[in-house]
Amino acid sequence: MTQDLLEEVTDGVAVLTMNRPDRLNALSRPMLAAMLEALPRLATSAEVGVVVLTGAGRAFCAGGDVKAMAEGREAEGTTLEERAQALRASMEVSRWLHEMPKPTLAMVRGAAAGAGLSLAMACDMRIASDSARFATAFARVGYSGDFGGSWFLTQLVGTAKARELYYTADIGDAETALRLGLANRVVPDAELDKETRALAGRLARGPRVAYRYMKRNMNAAESGTLAELLDLEAWHHSRTGATDDHREAARAFVDKREPVFKGR
């Protein structure tokens, strides 16, 4: 078990902490391997309702390890094909964050750059401290970008702004990220952990079956037609209407009390 990724599960909230603070949590092979093991497991765990991704110390994640790049140690494999396939396998981390049937939150303090920004954008929501800084960064090291960043950024801010941010690699502060829709919330740095865990806890206590189908709807909306989405919503709405959680919520509404969801 690597120390590059820490895992904690409390009251239905799983927190994954990228743990290389001396390198601003730059991605490592052990870290990515640990994520690829943890995310599918957490996605099916009955104990977990929400997954939070964050970084240790003063940064979220600086992306690739530039020192390893300079020393030629970053890429796996000897041929171009081997390197591309190894990278693509690691990039499944982004797909799991985006597609797992549970809400995923990025708790962002300090730098979220390059692939680190991609991972933050792969999550359903980004809660940023006022110290957060966002940058695509790839142009600064002569790379085109990975971990789905170009797709996620285009979805979040539109193609024109996404291209500008990729081409210039300009660094944006937390308020800029909020204005662009890149961050969902900005809170004081000292309150980041408390505020993110409060939101995560609220979601973990929510209707987990409904969240699963909401997320399917939202993901399908990113590329589907309106007619396709209407069909999907009809099936998913009918499916969630048959859950115990729906019946409990309806009773609670009539009784003027908070519902107690059981995830079934």
Side-chain angles (χ1 to χ4, degrees):
M1 184 68 177
T2 180
Q3 289 299 304
D4 285 7
L5 185 74
L6 306 179
E7 180 179 327
E8 164 204 341
V9 179
T10 306
D11 296 330
V13 177
V15 179
L16 296 178
T17 303
M18 296 174 282
N19 189 40
R20 299 182 74 204
D22 56 321
R23 294 288 186 91
L24 299 182
N25 303 314
L27 300 175
S28 68
R29 293 178 194 174
M31 182 191 293
L32 289 167
M35 286 189 193
L36 287 171
E37 184 282 325
L39 291 172
R41 173 169 47 78
L42 296 173
T44 59
S45 172
E47 297 180 9
V48 173
V50 176
V51 175
V52 176
L53 181 66
T54 192
R58 59 191 179 91
F60 177 77
C61 175
D65 191 329
V66 179
K67 183 177 180 181
M69 294 178 200
E71 295 172 352
R73 297 184 292 103
E74 186 200 30
E76 293 183 69
T78 56
T79 69
L80 181 59
E81 178 69 17
E82 289 171 344
R83 292 184 177 191
Q85 290 302 318
L87 177 59
R88 177 62 184 86
S90 294
M91 287 162 62
E92 281 292 286
V93 168
S94 294
R95 189 180 67 81
W96 276 107
L97 288 168
H98 186 64
E99 295 184 2
M100 75 158 58
K102 299 175 181 181
T104 54
L105 308 180
M107 179 165 62
V108 182
R109 173 179 284 108
L117 176 59
S118 299
L119 293 180
M121 293 190 295
C123 296
D124 293 312
M125 297 173 65
R126 285 146 297 284
I127 314 305
S129 84
D130 51 17
S131 72
R133 297 293 181 268
F134 298 84
T136 60
F138 296 113
R140 295 176 182 268
V141 289
Y143 266 141
S144 58
D146 56 7
F147 285 83
S150 54
W151 190 85
F152 293 124
L153 193 60
T154 298
Q155 295 289 331
L156 288 168
V157 305
T159 186
K161 194 64 181 181
R163 289 168 195 245
E164 176 187 341
L165 294 173
Y166 260 74
Y167 297 163
T168 65
D170 286 344
I171 298 172
D173 61 16
E175 289 301 326
T176 299
L178 183 65
R179 175 171 52 80
L180 290 175
L182 185 54
N184 294 83
R185 301 181 184 182
V186 173
V187 300
D189 190 81
E191 299 294 318
L192 178 63
D193 189 77
K194 176 184 175 182
E195 292 290 332
T196 304
R197 288 176 183 270
L199 175 60
R202 175 183 173 186
L203 296 178
R205 293 187 298 273
R208 296 184 183 183
V209 177
Y211 287 157
R212 180 189 315 154
Y213 288 104
M214 283 180 194
K215 188 157 179 174
R216 287 190 188 179
N217 290 345
M218 295 298 181
N219 286 347
E222 290 164 344
S223 57
T225 65
L226 175 59
E228 290 168 338
L229 260 294
L230 293 175
D231 289 342
L232 196 64
E233 284 186 344
W235 280 108
H236 289 168
H237 197 75
S238 299
R239 167 68 184 87
T240 53
T243 62
D244 291 345
D245 278 352
H246 165 67
R247 286 186 284 272
E248 159 63 9
R251 287 192 297 267
F253 181 84
V254 172
D255 296 342
K256 294 182 171 56
R257 60 175 175 82
E258 288 297 315
V260 179
F261 293 115
K262 302 294 186 182
R264 55 181 185 267

